[in-house]
Amino acid sequence: MFTFSSLQGALSESAASQSILELDGGIKVLIDVGWDESFDVAKLKELEKQVPTLSLILLTHATTNHIAAFAHCCKHFPLFTRIPVYATSPVISLGRTLLQDLYASTPLAATTIPPSSLDEVPYKTQQSSSDILLQAPTPEEIATYFSLIHSLKYSQPHQPVGSPFSPPLNGLTITAYNSGRTLGGTIWHIQHGLESIVYAVDWNQGRENVYAGAAWLGGAGAGGAEIIEQLRKPTALVCSSRGGEKTAIPGGRSKRDEQLLNKVKSCIARGGTVLIPTDSSARVLELAYLMDHAWRADATTGEGQLKSARLYLAGRNIHSTMRYARSMLEWMDDSVVREFEAVVDGSRRVNGTADGAKSGKEAGPFDFRFLKLLDRKGQIDKILNSEAGEGGLASKVILASDSTLDWGFSKDILKRIAQDPKNMVILTEYPSLASETHPSLARSLWTWWKEGQERTSEGLNGGTGRELEFRDAKRQTLEGNDLTIYQQWLAQQRQLQTTLQSGGANALESAGDVGDEASESESESEDSDNEQQGRALNAATTLGQASRKKAALTDEDLGINVLLKKKGVYDFDIRNKKGRDRMFPHPVRRKRTDDYGELIRPEDYLRAEERDDNDGQDPAQTGKGDNQEQFGRKRKWDDATAAKHQGSGPFKRPQLTRNVSDEFDTAVSDGPIEDELDGIPDDPDETTLGPSKLVLTRESIAINLEVEFIDLSGIHDKRSLHMLIPLIQPRKLILIGGSEQETLTLASDCKKLLAEGSVSIYTPNIGATIDASVDTNAWVVKLAPTLVKQLKWQNVRGLSIATVTGRLLAVQKELAARHDEEAANKRVKTESTEPAGASRPELATADAPVEPTLDVLPTNMASATRSVAQPLHVGDLRLADLRKAMQQTGHTAEFRGEGTLLVDGSVVVRKTTTGRIDVESIGLPTDGGPATQLGGTFYAVKRTIYESLAVVAGA
């Protein structure tokens, strides 16, 4: 059984993706936890209902459309963190930096408490604001959530472990394959029983500068014309339809890159500033690599068209993103790997040197020579305020997050450059439409560009005078009645989480988020004692035997139970106790010991200053010096001071040394402005304000700059979909992840491309459940005892195989059971004197159940069947096993390339992606060894292959 339900992204302009796959036995798999730029909590309501029934979670891409809601669900949905999550290493690392950037950039991501939840708060007397913000995940919490994700590699089958509340997975196997478009992007293959499901959304078959193409045809460099065996002929293919109407650019990737650079050069020529909005984790690597290498090529050729402009990349967490990119080159295209190997083999440029005359080829793929990284708003203000006379260069090209222009540095930069006609903004992705009433800034600009294209004009250049409304979201500290209502709502949620989640109530609130309970109780009047007693009784009834620490309740909430639960009170209730519990009501935990004594935790014995220093320790300083010499000694004052500055407060990111560390020296130091940018202090952290509410301000700004659109999203186009879907040959096709027009158009095209009636095509709506189970014609057939005795079993890799040829009979169950009992007891009925036909009318009634039984063929039919049936080879030959078997018999065998085995220098054995074995020989032995025996090497290889397979005859 296989049912599919799309929670977000089906027949919708929103690009967010959430899907639930339900398999036989009640196994539910959630794929992606996407969110759009609206950050609407109502879109996660259905997911919250499904959480207690989920077995595991799979993530495909490190983009907001696929993982933006992951930290929110871990923070605010009970039981969500207990569900196993699987993804590739790049998705885990880049997804962590993406969400840290998101929550640091906009308070909208924290989301507001729904008014319906505030209405349920007890003891609420006054109307409250509907913009009270939830507590956002801290960077440390986000890092913890992503550390729980299980890392997988490409093409390695894995049998996952289900959640504690999941039914048995019964051999469920998941395999990740490269999807292209993003680093670590995944096409998931899910195998469960007869169901073979391929989940492929937002993939790209074409190779790019950084990313290899999808693994449909074997990946980069495979050059195959057939889909690989693991992804071919699935029972169901879930495919995204986004880009189904998009035609490929003539000239491919090189033409696309050339168009982008031409637009940039035209703006630089008139002294303007170019803004290229992009994401902060996925497509930014492609754009950063392309732009920096374009500047390198320009400096090498000496054309001088780009050297008159500075190149910047802005993002709050961009240093971490690039550090991860440098450590995961093996996940990128082969050309990037070869470039890195060429740098390692040659004289590699050391980061931090100021030698600007070196060739661009001497720098690594992501050792940027011209691209300067910016992670503070003060740095952006400084470069935008600098004139040609100060820095020497007036034109600037800035890559900034986010692509929606609704949050991040790209929104701030657009405000600053919008009114100058010399400037330009280049959109590189098709903007989604999360809300009809409040489209994103990128969507509005794209609409204007589209209208300009339809009028065949030159875009929006030169004082069009259109105004664009900017919505700025700010935090404001809660006060008065709003704070009281928020604390009451928080207490209710903490009790709910304590009841549902055994991990306690620490996942909902940090220490600084709640006001002092003691001061709050002092301000209450004596008239509220009855109310407190009622609350205590309700709490005691709800929580049962929960400990005081787990419940996080005050003495007033505990009521009379304070005698049982308060620390230091030994008045135990032994009523209704029996035996040992009556004499010793307080259980003492046994200390954990082993052969060497009691187990201790060294971190429990740290001094307070050592514990603080360990919390804020800089990872860049670890591993330096002799650990044995420093053990037990006090650190120097400089080291302690540096450690304090690295992590001041729970919300501060580590201040990595940009001028010293090789990893973060990302540009050539060719001017004093570089040092000034590095010396700018950090932006103030608004997340430390505690309980706060959302305040939106609106501002209309005239847009006079030029708007251009060049598609660098890297999503499959119409040609790729039409070419690969017929080659995949799915039995059922489910189209999601696109607008209604794109999805229906692709569905009609697939009906023409695929054989009429051979494939079922589904286009489900959001929330609709479709049954896409595999069509099987299976019956339970009983084998007659006489047939079982004649079976000849063969063993292949631990499995027993036998061929069955018999005659299908309809035998009544009562008669069959009687015959089985007679055969088991091995006795013949001699006491019955009645003829056999006397009892048959009683059994051969029309209502008697019939059981299909396979019996031995009669003699006259056995010979005819034997002449028609053909023998069949069963098994899967591995070239590694064949190589070992040939070496054991005295032959020489070695691998020559992928999927090719050379035996005795004269016989080549190849295994194709379809499982076919090809054996080629020159026909002559090369030595006098075993090759001259048994008819030569060719027949020896052939015989060994047959011996490793089971040959089952047809009769």
Side-chain angles (χ1 to χ4, degrees):
M1 183 195 76
F2 165 53
T3 61
F4 177 85
S5 177
S6 177
L7 303 184
Q8 286 195 56
L11 297 179
S12 172
E13 287 284 350
S14 174
S17 176
Q18 291 180 14
S19 302
I20 287 186
L21 285 64
E22 184 173 0
L23 303 173
D24 195 14
I27 302 172
K28 284 189 177 182
V29 180
L30 172 65
I31 303 184
D32 286 336
V33 199
W35 222 355
D36 51 37
E37 60 270 17
S38 66
F39 303 112
D40 187 1
V41 186
K43 297 183 178 181
L44 302 179
K45 283 296 184 182
E46 186 61 31
L47 174 60
E48 185 177 6
K49 297 177 183 178
Q50 298 286 346
V51 167
T53 63
L54 295 179
S55 300
L56 67 148
I57 301 173
L58 306 179
L59 303 178
T60 57
H61 297 278
T63 62
T64 54
N65 296 331
H66 296 273
I67 63 169
F70 179 72
H72 177 89
C73 295
C74 293
K75 177 87 173 175
H76 301 292
F77 292 175
L79 306 177
F80 193 87
T81 54
R82 304 181 65 184
I83 305 173
V85 187
Y86 296 88
T88 58
S89 297
V91 171
I92 298 173
S93 300
L94 298 179
R96 182 190 302 114
T97 62
L98 169 66
L99 293 192
Q100 289 173 346
D101 184 11
L102 172 63
Y103 283 99
S105 300
T106 173
L108 282 174
T111 69
T112 58
I113 302 176
S116 58
S117 299
L118 293 177
D119 294 339
E120 298 174 359
V121 174
Y123 324 114
K124 177 183 175 182
T125 58
Q126 299 179 11
Q127 185 67 26
S128 65
S129 172
S130 60
D131 294 332
I132 300 178
L133 285 172
L134 289 169
Q135 184 68 12
T138 64
E140 291 77 11
E141 288 177 334
I142 294 174
T144 302
Y145 298 149
F146 278 88
S147 66
L148 301 176
I149 301 178
H150 303 273
S151 175
L152 298 180
K153 295 182 178 180
Y154 284 149
S155 304
Q156 292 188 357
H158 179 76
Q159 291 190 348
V161 179
S163 61
F165 37 83
S166 167
L169 299 187
N170 297 328
L172 176 69
T173 304
I174 58 175
T175 310
Y177 293 93
N178 184 21
S179 68
R181 186 178 180 263
T182 65
L183 196 63
T186 307
I187 295 174
W188 288 106
H189 177 254
I190 303 172
Q191 183 73 43
H192 184 256
L194 297 177
E195 302 289 349
S196 175
I197 305 165
V198 175
Y199 188 92
V201 295
D202 295 347
W203 49 270
N204 183 20
Q205 181 59 28
R207 292 178 57 186
E208 296 186 274
N209 297 300
V210 175
Y211 307 119
W216 295 114
L217 303 177
E226 294 182 348
I227 303 297
I228 60 175
E229 184 179 4
Q230 295 82 356
L231 300 179
R232 190 172 66 251
K233 295 183 179 180
T235 58
L237 170 64
V238 183
C239 182
S240 58
S241 60
R242 187 172 296 107
E245 297 179 337
K246 180 178 64 176
T247 58
I249 300 177
R253 180 188 68 191
S254 58
K255 185 65 175 178
R256 177 201 69 180
D257 298 346
E258 182 182 351
Q259 291 179 1
L260 176 64
L261 294 176
N262 288 339
K263 296 292 184 183
V264 172
K265 291 177 182 178
S266 65
C267 184
I268 293 175
R270 60 177 181 256
T273 298
V274 181
L275 171 62
I276 304 179
T278 180
D279 55 42
S280 59
S281 61
R283 300 300 299 174
V284 64
L285 301 180
E286 175 75 13
L287 284 169
Y289 180 92
L290 168 63
M291 301 303 287
D292 187 73
H293 281 65
W295 258 253
R296 293 187 196 182
D298 183 78
T300 303
T301 57
E303 295 178 1
Q305 298 182 9
L306 297 176
K307 68 179 182 180
S308 61
R310 288 191 177 275
L311 183 61
Y312 299 97
L313 175 57
R316 294 189 182 273
N317 224 8
I318 197 62
H319 285 287
S320 299
T321 300
M322 291 305 162
R323 174 165 55 91
Y324 288 130
R326 295 187 193 100
S327 64
M328 293 183 289
L329 297 179
E330 68 275 8
W331 293 83
M332 302 180 185
D333 189 68
D334 292 340
S335 60
V336 177
V337 178
R338 289 193 297 267
E339 181 182 350
F340 174 76
E341 292 174 349
V343 172
V344 173
D345 294 340
S347 56
R348 179 176 182 177
R349 178 182 70 89
V350 180
N351 285 336
T353 59
D355 185 5
K358 291 190 176 183
S359 172
K361 296 183 179 179
E362 297 180 4
F366 288 92
D367 294 329
F368 300 124
R369 296 187 63 241
F370 296 92
L371 186 68
K372 174 65 180 177
L373 304 186
L374 309 176
D375 61 352
R376 280 157 282 181
K377 193 173 185 300
Q379 294 176 328
I380 295 175
D381 294 338
K382 188 170 186 62
I383 65 171
L384 292 178
N385 293 332
S386 63
E387 300 295 338
E390 300 177 5
L393 300 176
S395 299
K396 308 168 191 66
V397 179
I398 307 175
L399 283 69
S401 64
D402 180 67
S403 59
T404 62
L405 293 171
D406 273 1
W407 57 271
F409 289 145
S410 61
K411 181 179 181 180
D412 300 329
I413 297 172
L414 180 62
K415 276 186 180 181
R416 298 287 300 273
I417 69 173
Q419 299 182 5
D420 192 346
K422 295 186 299 182
N423 299 333
M424 177 188 294
V425 57
I426 302 178
L427 305 177
T428 57
E429 295 186 21
Y430 173 76
S432 62
L433 184 62
S435 173
E436 293 285 349
T437 57
H438 299 289
S440 64
L441 297 179
R443 178 74 179 200
S444 300
L445 292 177
W446 181 86
T447 304
W448 295 356
W449 173 84
K450 189 69 174 177
E451 293 174 356
Q453 293 296 312
E454 293 175 355
R455 295 194 306 263
T456 64
S457 62
E458 296 182 357
L460 298 175
N461 188 14
T464 58
R466 293 200 184 189
E467 290 189 352
L468 196 61
E469 186 183 58
F470 287 76
R471 293 193 310 159
D472 292 332
K474 299 294 183 182
R475 291 177 178 268
Q476 183 177 342
T477 305
L478 286 179
E479 297 176 354
N481 181 56
D482 289 341
L483 179 60
T484 304
I485 293 177
Y486 173 73
Q487 290 175 343
Q488 293 177 358
W489 174 87
L490 183 64
Q492 184 185 47
Q493 296 300 313
R494 293 172 71 181
Q495 291 182 5
L496 177 63
Q497 280 201 10
T498 303
T499 307
L500 296 180
Q501 192 172 12
S502 61
N506 56 353
L508 190 74
E509 189 66 19
S510 60
D513 190 55
V514 191
D516 188 8
E517 296 287 351
S519 62
E520 181 182 357
S521 61
E522 291 176 0
S523 63
E524 294 179 2
S525 62
E526 297 179 355
D527 296 336
S528 61
D529 292 339
N530 295 333
E531 178 182 338
Q532 284 286 356
Q533 292 178 4
R535 292 176 61 186
L537 293 176
N538 292 335
T541 304
T542 304
L543 300 180
Q545 297 298 326
S547 65
R548 181 168 181 250
K549 179 180 178 182
K550 177 179 176 183
L553 299 175
T554 61
D555 294 347
E556 291 81 0
D557 292 330
L558 287 172
I560 191 62
N561 290 327
V562 71
L563 296 176
L564 301 178
K565 300 183 181 296
K566 187 173 182 180
K567 185 177 181 181
V569 177
Y570 303 99
D571 186 4
F572 297 102
D573 186 5
I574 59 173
R575 292 172 295 181
N576 300 325
K577 300 288 186 179
K578 295 181 181 180
R580 183 177 62 180
D581 293 337
R582 184 176 182 87
M583 182 63 67
F584 304 100
H586 178 65
V588 179
R589 289 189 176 183
R590 182 178 300 175
K591 296 182 178 180
R592 298 180 58 188
T593 59
D594 57 8
D595 296 339
Y596 299 96
E598 181 182 349
L599 298 179
I600 63 174
R601 300 175 60 199
E603 54 269 22
D604 294 340
Y605 298 90
L606 292 176
R607 293 193 299 270
E609 60 271 14
E610 291 180 338
R611 188 176 296 108
D612 295 339
D613 291 339
N614 286 341
D615 294 339
Q617 187 176 3
D618 184 3
Q621 300 297 330
T622 59
K624 295 185 178 181
D626 189 359
N627 293 332
Q628 297 298 330
E629 295 180 359
Q630 296 179 359
F631 183 78
R633 296 184 181 181
K634 293 184 177 180
R635 283 187 292 274
K636 295 181 180 180
W637 177 257
D638 296 338
D639 297 339
T641 304
K644 290 183 179 180
H645 285 297
Q646 297 299 330
S648 57
F651 300 96
K652 288 291 184 181
R653 58 171 176 76
Q655 296 297 320
L656 299 173
T657 54
R658 299 176 183 33
N659 294 333
V660 179
S661 175
D662 291 343
E663 293 179 342
F664 294 96
D665 183 22
T666 56
V668 178
S669 300
D670 53 357
I673 189 173
E674 307 292 339
D675 296 335
E676 294 177 4
L677 291 178
D678 287 337
I680 293 177
D682 283 347
D683 299 335
D685 192 358
E686 296 183 355
T687 58
T688 58
L689 296 177
S692 55
K693 64 180 179 180
L694 182 67
V695 177
L696 292 176
T697 59
R698 290 174 169 82
E699 180 183 4
S700 296
I701 297 179
I703 304 297
N704 296 323
L705 51 71
E706 182 180 355
V707 180
E708 295 291 345
F709 173 72
I710 298 176
D711 189 5
L712 278 89
S713 60
I715 296 181
H716 45 62
D717 52 19
K718 182 177 181 180
R719 177 178 175 273
S720 299
L721 292 169
H722 288 189
M723 179 186 69
L724 287 173
I725 291 180
L727 292 178
I728 299 172
Q729 303 178 29
R731 298 185 185 179
K732 297 180 184 296
L733 177 62
I734 304 174
L735 298 178
I736 60 171
S739 64
E740 183 175 359
Q741 182 179 355
E742 289 176 327
T743 305
L744 297 180
T745 301
L746 181 59
S748 61
D749 293 342
C750 290
K751 290 180 181 179
K752 300 176 184 177
L753 294 172
L754 302 172
E756 187 68 26
S758 61
V759 178
S760 300
I761 302 177
Y762 302 95
T763 56
N765 286 308
I766 295 178
T769 301
I770 60 173
D771 187 359
S773 304
V774 58
D775 297 328
T776 57
N777 298 320
W779 296 270
V780 178
V781 179
K782 184 177 180 180
L783 299 183
T786 54
L787 182 63
V788 173
K789 294 179 181 179
Q790 298 182 5
L791 295 180
K792 297 181 180 179
W793 296 93
Q794 300 186 58
N795 294 324
V796 178
R797 296 187 180 276
L799 300 177
S800 298
I801 299 175
T803 180
V804 178
T805 304
R807 181 174 59 171
L808 187 63
L809 301 176
V811 180
Q812 297 165 1
K813 287 188 176 182
E814 295 182 3
L815 183 60
R818 182 175 300 177
H819 285 304
D820 291 344
E821 183 180 357
E822 293 175 355
N825 296 333
K826 295 184 179 180
R827 66 177 182 230
V828 181
K829 294 183 179 180
T830 56
E831 62 274 16
S832 177
T833 57
E834 297 180 359
S839 61
R840 287 182 183 176
E842 185 179 2
L843 293 175
T845 60
D847 297 335
V850 176
E851 183 178 29
T853 304
L854 202 62
D855 205 346
V856 181
L857 284 175
T859 307
N860 57 350
M861 297 179 59
S863 59
T865 307
R866 190 180 298 111
S867 61
V868 175
Q870 299 293 331
L872 181 66
H873 295 83
V874 179
D876 184 18
L877 177 67
R878 296 177 55 191
L879 293 184
D881 297 340
L882 178 62
R883 173 175 173 265
K884 183 178 180 180
M886 297 305 299
Q887 289 177 345
Q888 290 177 351
T889 57
H891 296 270
T892 60
E894 57 184 358
F895 286 104
R896 294 291 181 87
E898 185 177 358
T900 302
L901 179 66
L902 179 63
V903 183
D904 289 341
S906 60
V907 178
V908 174
V909 183
R910 294 188 180 90
K911 185 176 181 181
T912 63
T913 56
T914 60
R916 176 184 174 87
I917 303 296
D918 295 332
V919 183
E920 299 179 3
S921 174
I922 62 175
L924 297 174
T926 57
D927 53 24
T932 59
Q933 305 173 3
L934 303 175
T937 304
F938 177 78
Y939 293 100
V941 172
K942 186 177 179 180
R943 185 177 294 103
T944 306
I945 292 175
Y946 285 156
E947 289 175 355
S948 62
L949 301 175
V951 182
V952 292

